[in-house]
Amino acid sequence: MDEYDELFEIEDQFEEQFADELEVLAQMEEETSQPAQCLKQVQGDDISDMQHLLDNQPSTHKAKRQKQDTGVVRRLFNASQTQQRNVPSQDDNITPPSSPEHYEPSNTFRSTPAVLDISGLAEIPETPRRPVTSPPPSKCVLRRPPLEGDFISVTDSSGNRVYLRQKGEADTKTVNSPNRISPNSHSALGLLALPVRVLREQEAERHHQQVVESQRLTELLVSSLNNVFTDSGNTEDQENEDPQDAEGQTSQLWVERFSPRHYTELLSDDFTNRCLLKWLKLWDNVVFGRERKSRPVRSDRQSANQNSFKLSQGSQNPNRFKSKMEMTEEILEAELDQYKRPKYRVALLSGPPGLGKTTLAHVIAKHAGYNVVEINASDDRSAEVFQKRIDTATQMKSVLGANERPNCLIIDEIDGAPAAAINILLSALNRKDTHGGDAGTETAKKKKKEFVLLRPIICICNDLYVPALRPLRQQAFLLAFPQTQPSRLSQRLAEISTLQGLKADTGALMCLCEKTDNDIRSCINTLQFLHGRGLKQLDSRIIQRVSVGQKDQNKGLFYLWQEIFQLPRTKRKHIGKGFEEAPGSGSGFQRFQHILHLASSSGQYEKISQGLYDNYLSVRVRDPKLQSVSEALDWLLFSDRLNQVILHGQNFSLLRYLPFLSVTFHFLFAHTHVPRISYPHSQQEATSRLLSSRNALSTMLADIPASIRSRIGQLHLTLDVLTLLLDIICPKLRPVNPQLFSSREKELMRELINTMLAYNLSYRQDRTPEGQYTFMLEPRVEEVARFPGLPPRRQLTYQAKQTISREMEQEKMRRAEQMMLQRNPSPKEEERKSAGPKPTRNHQQRLENIVKQTTVETRPEVDFFGRAVGPRPQRPLLSSDSGEKCAVVAMGTAVGNSDVWFRFNEGMSNAVRRNVYIRELQ
Amino acid sequence: MSLWLDKYRPTSLGKLDYHKEQATQLKNLVQCGDFPHLLVYGPSGAGKKTRIMCLLKELYGPGVEKLRIEHQTIVAPSKKKIEINIIASNYHLEVNPSDAGNQDRVVIQELIKTVAQSQQIQSSTQREFKVVLLTEVDRLTKDAQHALRRTMEKYMTTCRLILCSTSTSKVIGPIQSRCLAVRVPLPSTEEVCSVLTSVCKKEGLLLPPELAKQISEKSGRNLRRALLMCEACRVQQYPFSADQDVPEPDWEVYLRETANAIVSQQSPQRLLEVRARLYELLTHCIPPDIIIKGLVEELLNNCDGQLKTEVAHLAAYYEHRLQLGSKAIYHLEAFIAKFMAMYKKFMEDGLDAMMF
């Protein structure tokens, strides 16, 4: 990648270097080049001579030079070592430099008229088109930086650095130092600015274009047979083209043939078109400004460029649509980010098929000067391949070939792409410069180019709400395609049909538009189909009768529900009489068929019936006797039963009866008002809540001891036990310390705790968002037992709950210890015995030595800190023995005899410790 | 063990408080050391499980009371793992196959069959058979019940089944015919009162007979609920007063209010409100058939005598549909809509008759 980029850049420099000379040499060319003039003279006379002339090109002055040059090339290839020396010697012979020559032939070709018969032209490119020159030496190549004027430093692979004067006189030759070849010619292909193969392709393309053009002409001729076209040359053309033309007609769809090639031909909504174009233009700064970046005089030029950009933007995009969609407007006006990219780095076009999304993207990308790279569903879109393609499309540029334009990536049909691929796209969008802030330095710039996305990406999808697209939606510039205007569409259809010699009145075409829901593709296809059947006359009746052009389109659930709950409005007056029979209107039979068709084509019967159920009571029903409501419910029961049978017996042939539910609802509840339909959440909500209460109950049941567990099931718990149990565990407690309870109260408390433990209930301290602490009953069965809207039950106070919770913890520990004792009484006994004389482990470790030292002869009464309390004289006695030992002895006796001990630990609050057993906490 | 319910539960057949005749019959049945498969049925809170445990104790001795909970995982043929809790002693095991939902057939096939197939090792000291207690048999799917049929016959020597259900109507005929059916009816009001009084006596409390009567009526003679209510009353206010408020389960109150809402107004809007309440009930784990039953009881109280048969008929019809279908809320709403339509028509007709 690195190398590539370098090469790339050098090439850029090279071109820039030549930019000025090119002009001059192009002028020289005009004077010197004979063949071009010859061509111009010849072209009018005889077309057949053309081939001859082109074949004879070597006889011209320039071609001679070419011959010499090819010789040079051979020598270059044969002895690359000697070549280096040869190069300077040749320099004198060759006066015109290489680069202008590169452009010369293309100039000549451009001058050939498009009307040419190019039947023989395919062979032409075999002759060496590109004159090959080795770079001539120049005084502009300096070993040191020139004192005045701009220059470019060039370093070759061997590390030699030379300086090229940038702004020389017109005759300056820009080449590398004599002992090296230029980087351009370094690659073998580089001897020609365009390799022969590419040239051939170009030629073939041009050939094709001309064929197409002439096809059009002939089509025009064919269509307007009335007008006799008398130009002999053209008729000749026509005769020549005829076989090809017929071939083209059969193979090519009209959709392809009449697809718009220019921005102005686009049929889709103007606003959408403009928005997309404007968005694309936002990229100009980063994409086209980039060419100048490598220049030393970057700063002023770039600013100039920016100015011009702003100007051009202003002129191209007048703020006409400010009132229309301010949101989109804002997005487009938003500032560029640190890499001068628009805020939304990807555009996402969405809309039903046949509105021209793909066409729009292509046309606009071309219009804005990009080279279109398309990825669509037919390509492999697995993650790795996708990554590679994105990288190549956005980071590379075609070096070879005439169209050296920056790429614009169009990802078509993205809604079908796997989520992994979309994630890759997102990561490409969000790639950040690894170097962070210092974007000013040259190295950082280079790195940045590799990592950051600097090319526009346009994504196209039909369904914007595919789950996989969700993350992309948030980062994309969304453009929803509105319906194509039928008037515009029919106008275009009229153009096409007149071109094809099909007589169609506006009414018929409008009818066609309506039938296909303004789907351009479908319209044109239908036209072609009708034309292909030999029809010359088209009226609305035929359109009505024809069964093509109707899509089995999934309309979305909301549309369906709306259709069901809404009576069709009487259609506005249209031209032509076919419109009274439009789907959905008119008689009951047709409504029946319409709804049935919609329901069965959507296929999501479960969702549909759920939506109907959730909404049918909220639509304005005038049903005082509740007859239709109960009938509707009977139908719901029927479909529920049907569903059960289908799922249970896998009897899917019954599925065909499910859509009739929608029809029934339509006839029962359809109303002229626009229904307000909400998405059916109720069932899902109910299921999740049911699940959570079930979970609460089962967690409660899970730890209930077996003897009780065998007596209560989940059902008993909900129906009988729970509410009353919650009442029972809320006794009246005096708000005092539990140690001050009377014996009766203590008894009560013990029972309460027993109950709670037996039924696996406990209090857990929770913090509310307001910062208050509350005790919650765990597991949360309260939610299961309590209903909203009922008088609240008595609740324990926070303090009571706290007391209970504390007591419960103690009881649990007590029980656990008891259980341990029961399970393994013998080791416990031993432990307890040993616990008497021995201190516990950790302070044993610490004070082992001290304790060992002390012989516990006397047991003086000591206070908390080990000072003797009882007989006073003991202390002086001990200390009088010997200072150090006395302290140790005192400590040892203290540790050995009492179970309270401490160790001085600076900054620690738990210095004083005592071992406490649960069984002692009665 | 501190709820009165658990504390004062009788543990032997001799100590049972009511249906003493049946208790002696059961005792006689076990006396000879063997008994057929049993199908114990009766309404909730009548003491089925108590009776069964007493019977088992009679059979095996106090070892039956040492219970433990085992968690077993069974892998269904579809590779789905089913977790099921088994409460077991050394002599018997208790399974609620309906915990496994639709996969209960697998539980029957795998678990019960393996238990039934295994022989007792020391038949001299123990009985020759184990007992498998299946609870909530009425919630078993038909498949599971069919799976049970052959198992019951084939492993008769090593295994006895005791099936426990609230009604026999959902137990298929073949199983009913293989079992000795034992019906445990609800205790009478007096019996409930006497149980309550004796329990209070043991607790050292004095229960006024009026309150006892009120509790037993409110509990619908469901002894479990009666005892809990009594204890809740005790917590509410100790020196009992005769006209004390007896706490009721919230869902019953809620259901009653729902029924009142239905009767007070009949319109689509009201139906929508009722739907929200029904959802509320359903999400609180109240089974739909219980809801429909409770509704009918409440609605019948508010209905004219002429309508009663029709309402009952409707309820039966929709309850049946409910069992066949899968979305309970549709069926409940359908019943309510139908009732509303009928009730409204009846009221309007009545008004018209009054006018003319």
Side-chain angles (χ1 to χ4, degrees):
Chain A
M1 193 61 68
D2 246 351
E3 285 171 42
Y4 177 83
D5 218 298
E6 259 170 44
L7 205 110
F8 199 19
E9 217 168 271
I10 289 165
E11 171 106 332
D12 270 359
Q13 290 170 353
F14 206 74
E15 263 175 46
E16 283 158 25
Q17 200 63 34
F18 284 121
D20 301 327
E21 296 159 275
L22 278 176
E23 292 170 28
V24 179
L25 283 160
Q27 283 173 0
M28 283 166 57
E29 197 69 44
E30 296 237 0
E31 294 159 14
T32 52
S33 67
Q34 294 290 328
Q37 284 172 0
C38 283
L39 270 175
K40 273 172 196 161
Q41 288 164 3
V42 170
Q43 114 205 8
D45 306 331
D46 195 359
I47 301 159
S48 59
D49 274 1
M50 182 65 195
Q51 188 184 344
H52 163 76
L53 196 130
L54 286 170
D55 282 338
N56 286 346
Q57 234 184 358
S59 66
T60 59
H61 151 70
K62 196 186 75 187
K64 270 177 194 165
R65 213 194 294 145
Q66 279 177 349
K67 263 190 177 174
Q68 288 178 344
D69 292 341
T70 44
V72 174
V73 173
R74 267 183 216 125
R75 258 174 283 162
L76 275 173
F77 283 167
N78 290 341
S80 58
Q81 303 214 331
T82 54
Q83 169 236 17
Q84 285 183 353
R85 278 168 213 158
N86 286 343
V87 168
S89 65
Q90 294 240 330
D91 289 335
D92 303 337
N93 301 342
I94 298 152
T95 27
S98 59
S99 56
E101 290 265 326
H102 291 182
Y103 289 80
E104 194 182 21
S106 60
N107 280 346
T108 58
F109 269 112
R110 241 165 244 156
S111 63
T112 58
V115 213
L116 273 178
D117 181 7
I118 19 80
S119 52
L121 273 184
E123 285 99 78
I124 296 171
E126 283 177 26
T127 55
R129 219 81 303 276
R130 291 279 161 273
V132 186
T133 51
S134 59
S138 163
K139 281 161 196 166
C140 278
V141 182
L142 301 165
R143 287 261 171 211
R144 296 208 177 86
L147 292 173
E148 76 270 306
D150 295 328
F151 62 91
I152 293 174
S153 65
V154 177
T155 314
D156 71 347
S157 54
S158 56
N160 297 329
R161 171 164 291 205
V162 289
Y163 298 91
L164 306 180
R165 193 166 287 189
Q166 198 178 24
K167 265 195 172 180
E169 285 73 40
D171 59 338
T172 8
K173 314 286 182 287
T174 320
V175 268
N176 287 318
S177 57
N179 57 345
R180 288 177 295 117
I181 38 166
S182 75
N184 199 18
S185 59
H186 212 273
S187 57
L189 287 167
L191 288 171
L192 300 170
L194 297 169
V196 173
R197 185 164 33 85
V198 177
L199 278 172
R200 262 187 217 163
E201 277 167 13
Q202 276 181 347
E203 203 48 57
E205 197 179 85
R206 277 164 36 75
H207 171 97
H208 176 73
Q209 272 177 7
Q210 279 172 336
V211 166
V212 168
E213 197 131 337
S214 51
Q215 262 179 15
R216 273 197 179 178
L217 272 173
T218 41
E219 275 159 21
L220 259 171
L221 285 170
V222 169
S223 63
S224 53
L225 274 170
N226 312 349
N227 314 347
V228 187
F229 205 75
T230 43
D231 192 316
S232 60
N234 266 322
T235 43
E236 221 179 83
D237 270 358
Q238 195 195 326
E239 276 169 20
N240 287 342
E241 298 299 315
D242 255 342
Q244 278 180 341
D245 191 49
E247 195 189 334
Q249 258 184 345
T250 48
S251 65
Q252 207 176 15
L253 280 176
W254 287 10
V255 181
E256 285 301 314
R257 241 160 84 195
F258 298 106
S259 74
R261 310 246 185 270
H262 304 291
Y263 182 75
T264 44
E265 289 175 19
L266 286 170
L267 271 185
S268 44
D269 180 57
D270 276 338
F271 175 65
T272 319
N273 299 351
R274 244 180 287 128
C275 280
L276 186 65
L277 184 59
K278 195 169 180 186
W279 175 82
L280 206 58
K281 283 285 181 191
L282 288 181
W283 283 90
D284 279 1
N285 198 358
V286 65
V287 175
F288 294 106
R290 184 172 162 261
E291 285 176 302
R292 324 264 160 129
K293 268 181 189 168
S294 52
R295 288 203 175 183
V297 278
R298 192 189 315 121
S299 55
D300 49 354
R301 289 224 182 180
Q302 199 169 346
S303 65
N305 182 38
Q306 272 175 349
N307 286 337
S308 70
F309 164 66
K310 270 176 194 162
L311 278 173
S312 72
Q313 198 190 24
S315 62
Q316 275 180 356
N317 300 298
N319 297 335
R320 259 179 297 169
F321 46 85
K322 209 161 204 170
S323 55
K324 270 191 184 176
M325 237 193 264
E326 284 184 359
M327 281 292 287
T328 324
E329 175 74 12
E330 264 174 41
I331 289 169
L332 290 174
E333 292 297 328
E335 283 195 7
L336 306 179
D337 66 359
Q338 53 167 327
Y339 307 116
K340 306 205 174 65
R341 302 179 295 182
K343 189 183 160 212
Y344 291 93
R345 291 181 285 281
V346 58
L348 184 56
L349 307 182
S350 62
L355 295 188
K357 295 181 297 299
T358 312
T359 315
L360 172 70
H362 279 263
V363 166
I364 279 190
K366 267 181 208 144
H367 183 83
Y370 289 93
N371 177 33
V372 175
V373 178
E374 187 182 324
I375 301 177
N376 56 33
S378 65
D379 302 314
D380 185 5
R381 290 196 285 193
S382 61
E384 305 85 48
V385 182
F386 200 66
Q387 170 91 59
K388 211 169 134 195
R389 295 201 61 165
I390 286 183
D391 285 348
T392 34
T394 55
Q395 291 171 6
M396 299 188 191
K397 179 185 170 186
S398 58
V399 187
L400 315 164
N403 50 346
E404 289 190 26
R405 294 158 162 189
N407 287 332
C408 171
L409 182 62
I410 294 179
I411 305 175
D412 206 350
E413 294 144 23
I414 197 174
D415 42 358
I422 288 172
N423 285 337
I424 281 169
L425 175 62
L426 282 175
S427 66
L429 291 180
N430 294 328
R431 241 177 268 164
K432 283 276 182 302
D433 187 5
T434 42
H435 283 260
D438 57 341
T441 60
E442 200 72 26
T443 51
K445 271 270 155 64
K446 268 188 185 173
K447 290 270 179 189
K448 199 172 72 179
K449 271 175 206 155
E450 289 171 29
F451 290 116
V452 183
L453 177 84
L454 293 172
R455 291 285 176 273
I457 297 180
I458 301 173
C459 299
I460 301 170
C461 66
N462 284 335
D463 185 4
L464 190 56
Y465 298 99
V466 167
L469 284 183
R470 191 178 300 144
L472 184 66
R473 270 209 309 274
Q474 292 157 357
Q475 297 197 13
F477 172 58
L478 299 179
L479 264 181
F481 259 64
Q483 289 278 342
T484 319
Q485 283 169 8
S487 54
R488 289 180 71 171
L489 178 55
S490 60
Q491 196 183 337
R492 173 65 65 88
L493 289 180
E495 280 170 25
I496 291 172
S497 48
T498 41
L499 268 180
Q500 293 297 333
L502 193 66
K503 273 185 187 170
D505 56 357
T506 332
L509 291 177
M510 288 293 272
C511 181
L512 181 63
C513 296
E514 184 129 341
K515 193 169 185 184
T516 56
D517 283 331
N518 300 326
D519 178 340
I520 304 170
R521 186 189 296 130
S522 173
C523 279
I524 299 179
N525 278 340
T526 314
L527 268 189
Q528 186 176 11
F529 172 71
L530 292 173
H531 180 67
R533 271 166 54 178
L535 277 175
K536 294 289 173 199
Q537 193 81 15
L538 202 64
D539 58 9
S540 50
R541 192 161 301 156
I542 296 172
I543 299 272
Q544 282 295 329
R545 221 178 296 141
V546 138
S547 60
V548 291
Q550 268 179 324
K551 290 181 286 183
D552 184 18
Q553 198 182 6
N554 198 344
K555 280 291 197 176
L557 287 168
F558 273 100
Y559 175 79
L560 177 58
W561 289 324
Q562 189 142 355
E563 281 293 290
I564 290 170
F565 284 122
Q566 195 173 13
L567 277 176
R569 276 166 297 175
T570 43
K571 291 273 176 183
R572 272 167 274 114
K573 277 187 182 175
H574 286 295
I575 316 147
K577 51 190 169 179
F579 287 92
E580 275 73 46
E581 299 156 27
S585 67
S587 65
F589 172 72
Q590 268 170 348
R591 276 162 61 197
F592 186 98
Q593 289 295 340
H594 176 58
I595 298 289
L596 189 63
H597 173 73
L598 277 180
S600 50
S601 67
S602 107
Q604 297 165 292
Y605 303 123
E606 188 71 30
K607 273 263 170 61
I608 294 171
S609 64
Q610 192 60 45
L612 293 177
Y613 174 69
D614 272 26
N615 287 304
Y616 83 99
L617 286 178
S618 20
V619 295
R620 289 182 213 177
V621 206
R622 216 165 278 149
D623 186 20
K625 295 203 168 181
L626 288 155
Q627 288 301 333
S628 55
V629 170
S630 38
E631 196 184 332
L633 278 163
D634 276 346
W635 270 89
L636 270 176
L637 296 201
F638 168 68
S639 73
D640 182 39
R641 175 101 182 88
L642 214 54
N643 252 325
Q644 184 78 357
V645 172
I646 288 168
L647 295 180
H648 198 257
Q650 324 248 294
N651 191 353
F652 292 102
S653 62
L654 292 176
L655 268 177
R656 76 177 81 150
Y657 298 109
L658 286 174
F660 288 96
L661 179 73
S662 317
V663 179
T664 318
F665 269 74
H666 176 68
F667 280 101
L668 285 175
F669 297 109
H671 206 271
T672 42
H673 291 286
V674 179
R676 211 174 283 160
I677 285 162
S678 57
Y679 193 80
H681 289 297
S682 64
Q683 191 73 38
Q684 206 186 350
E685 242 170 67
T687 338
S688 67
R689 280 173 61 199
L690 183 64
L691 202 68
S692 77
S693 12
R694 284 236 172 98
N695 282 341
L697 286 179
S698 52
T699 39
M700 180 177 168
L701 277 175
D703 284 340
I704 288 181
S707 54
I708 297 175
R709 177 68 211 279
S710 74
R711 307 306 172 99
I712 50 165
Q714 203 166 316
L715 199 61
H716 304 141
L717 208 60
T718 46
L719 291 184
D720 298 336
V721 181
L722 212 52
T723 330
L724 297 168
L725 181 67
L726 290 181
D727 278 351
I728 289 169
I729 60 165
C730 292
K732 283 171 190 150
L733 288 174
R734 270 200 302 153
V736 291
N737 192 319
Q739 276 161 5
L740 301 177
F741 278 165
S742 67
S743 63
R744 177 144 191 88
E745 278 171 327
K746 273 186 181 162
E747 185 65 23
L748 249 176
M749 187 68 164
R750 227 189 47 238
E751 267 184 22
L752 170 67
I753 282 160
N754 278 341
T755 312
M756 284 183 69
L757 283 176
Y759 282 89
N760 187 30
L761 296 170
S762 61
Y763 285 113
R764 194 167 58 92
Q765 200 174 31
D766 251 0
R767 217 186 128 151
T768 56
E770 292 88 52
Q772 285 180 323
Y773 286 98
T774 50
F775 276 100
M776 299 293 296
L777 201 64
E778 189 86 355
R780 312 212 160 195
V781 285
E782 258 175 328
E783 286 155 23
V784 184
R786 302 282 184 232
F787 282 84
L790 291 185
R793 301 294 178 125
R794 202 159 50 81
Q795 285 278 322
L796 285 176
T797 57
Y798 176 78
Q799 196 196 2
K801 282 181 179 173
Q802 197 176 20
T803 315
I804 293 170
S805 155
R806 189 175 155 274
E807 294 286 321
M808 269 182 67
E809 286 305 311
Q810 281 187 16
E811 181 63 30
K812 267 189 202 165
M813 284 159 96
R814 238 172 263 157
R815 284 192 186 183
E817 205 181 45
Q818 232 167 22
M819 197 91 101
M820 284 254 290
L821 279 175
Q822 271 180 2
R823 214 167 272 170
N824 39 4
S826 48
K828 197 70 192 173
E829 279 302 305
E830 276 173 29
E831 206 178 297
R832 208 197 282 175
K833 274 174 194 166
S834 63
K838 271 188 186 171
T840 41
R841 212 169 283 160
N842 51 354
H843 83 265
Q844 183 191 4
Q845 284 169 356
R846 284 272 170 173
L847 300 173
E848 211 172 17
N849 299 331
I850 306 174
V851 174
K852 269 180 189 167
Q853 281 176 22
T854 50
T855 45
V856 191
E857 300 144 25
T858 54
R859 289 195 164 186
E861 206 49 29
V862 284
D863 76 0
F864 189 76
F865 292 106
R867 290 173 302 205
V869 180
R872 276 273 155 192
Q874 247 184 353
R875 192 185 164 133
L877 191 141
L878 278 168
S879 59
S880 65
D881 264 9
S882 63
E884 221 174 89
K885 205 202 170 191
C886 170
V888 169
V889 167
M891 226 158 115
T893 43
V895 169
N897 292 327
S898 83
D899 49 10
V900 178
W901 53 279
F902 84 98
R903 191 160 60 85
F904 179 68
N905 235 352
E906 202 167 1
M908 290 280 284
S909 58
N910 58 353
V912 181
R913 300 178 185 217
R914 184 171 189 269
N915 294 321
V916 179
Y917 292 96
I918 284 294
R919 58 175 177 273
E920 292 158 4
L921 285 177
Q922 289 296 345
Chain B
M1 286 299 190
S2 66
L3 282 186
W4 298 351
L5 183 68
D6 304 315
K7 228 196 285 187
Y8 303 109
R9 181 174 283 140
T11 51
S12 70
L13 284 173
K15 285 183 193 162
L16 289 173
D17 292 297
Y18 50 91
H19 306 327
K20 300 213 174 178
E21 199 181 330
Q22 191 188 46
T24 43
Q25 277 171 354
L26 286 176
K27 202 169 187 172
N28 292 337
L29 181 74
V30 183
Q31 211 105 63
C32 57
D34 199 2
F35 65 89
H37 298 306
L38 292 182
L39 171 61
V40 182
Y41 66 99
S44 173
K48 298 182 291 293
K49 201 57 128 350
T50 311
R51 235 151 257 258
I52 292 168
M53 291 311 284
C54 291
L55 185 81
L56 287 178
K57 197 184 175 191
E58 191 74 28
L59 195 66
Y60 292 110
V64 167
E65 283 171 350
K66 278 187 181 166
L67 295 171
R68 58 181 186 272
I69 296 181
E70 289 168 3
H71 302 278
Q72 272 207 3
T73 337
I74 301 163
V75 182
S78 59
K79 302 278 182 258
K80 196 187 167 193
K81 281 188 179 175
I82 304 158
E83 301 220 345
I84 197 155
N85 292 327
I86 302 165
I87 300 164
S89 74
N90 290 335
Y91 307 100
H92 85 289
L93 83 166
E94 181 185 331
V95 191
N96 185 353
S98 53
D99 281 352
N102 283 328
Q103 303 280 334
D104 51 2
R105 183 175 58 92
V106 186
V107 176
I108 298 281
Q109 283 171 343
E110 299 290 320
L111 184 86
I112 303 200
K113 224 169 161 183
T114 33
V115 172
Q117 275 171 337
S118 61
Q119 302 268 346
Q120 292 287 52
I121 300 169
Q122 277 187 300
S123 57
S124 55
T125 55
Q126 291 169 329
R127 302 278 171 190
E128 281 169 6
F129 54 84
K130 279 184 177 178
V131 171
V132 175
L133 173 54
L134 293 181
T135 54
E136 297 186 30
V137 180
D138 44 352
R139 284 175 62 198
L140 279 184
T141 58
K142 290 278 179 294
D143 285 348
Q145 295 195 27
H146 285 297
L148 204 54
R149 282 169 64 169
R150 190 71 186 129
T151 315
M152 286 173 87
E153 278 180 352
K154 209 171 173 186
Y155 306 106
M156 188 67 188
T157 47
T158 54
C159 177
R160 297 286 180 280
L161 286 174
I162 299 181
L163 311 177
C164 185
S165 77
T166 48
S167 98
T168 52
S169 64
K170 281 164 200 160
V171 181
I172 57 170
I175 287 186
Q176 284 187 42
S177 86
R178 282 169 174 79
C179 296
L180 176 68
V182 180
R183 178 174 144 80
V184 184
L186 283 175
S188 67
T189 318
E190 291 75 36
E191 281 163 341
V192 174
C193 284
S194 73
V195 171
L196 288 179
T197 328
S198 69
V199 165
C200 280
K201 210 172 173 184
K202 282 178 199 159
E203 275 286 311
L205 307 170
L206 196 70
L207 183 71
E210 293 86 7
L211 184 64
K213 194 145 191 292
Q214 201 193 337
I215 289 174
S216 67
E217 269 165 8
K218 272 224 167 174
S219 65
R221 286 147 66 204
N222 179 339
L223 196 60
R224 181 192 295 120
R225 199 184 284 181
L227 278 167
L228 281 164
M229 279 176 170
C230 188
E231 196 173 350
C233 282
R234 154 82 183 69
V235 168
Q236 212 172 47
Q237 172 187 357
Y238 167 52
F240 290 121
S241 64
D243 52 350
Q244 194 175 347
D245 250 14
V246 180
E248 274 180 291
D250 271 0
W251 67 269
E252 284 198 331
V253 183
Y254 197 77
L255 195 59
R256 197 177 309 137
E257 281 180 7
T258 311
N260 290 339
I262 295 168
V263 174
S264 66
Q265 193 195 331
Q266 294 87 32
S267 68
Q269 279 64 41
R270 180 49 64 94
L271 192 58
L272 205 57
E273 289 163 34
V274 169
R275 180 198 291 180
R277 294 181 77 91
L278 289 177
Y279 262 132
E280 196 70 42
L281 279 165
L282 284 173
T283 52
H284 281 72
C285 295
I286 311 293
D289 46 341
I290 303 259
I291 295 176
I292 215 167
K293 200 175 151 198
L295 273 179
V296 173
E297 276 172 14
E298 294 297 329
L299 290 176
L300 284 181
N301 288 340
N302 291 315
C303 267
D304 192 87
Q306 282 179 296
L307 278 181
K308 279 185 179 170
T309 49
E310 230 173 313
V311 171
H313 176 252
L314 272 185
Y317 174 73
Y318 283 105
E319 207 266 348
H320 177 65
R321 300 295 298 261
L322 178 75
Q323 301 296 334
L324 296 176
S326 60
K327 292 217 166 125
I329 189 82
Y330 290 176
H331 300 267
L332 293 175
E333 190 167 309
F335 166 64
I336 290 164
K338 205 82 181 176
F339 173 81
M340 278 181 168
M342 200 173 73
Y343 191 78
K344 194 157 195 183
K345 185 162 179 289
F346 178 78
M347 296 302 273
E348 275 168 4
D349 288 354
L351 273 180
D352 287 350
M354 294 251 288
M355 301 272 274
F356 301 110

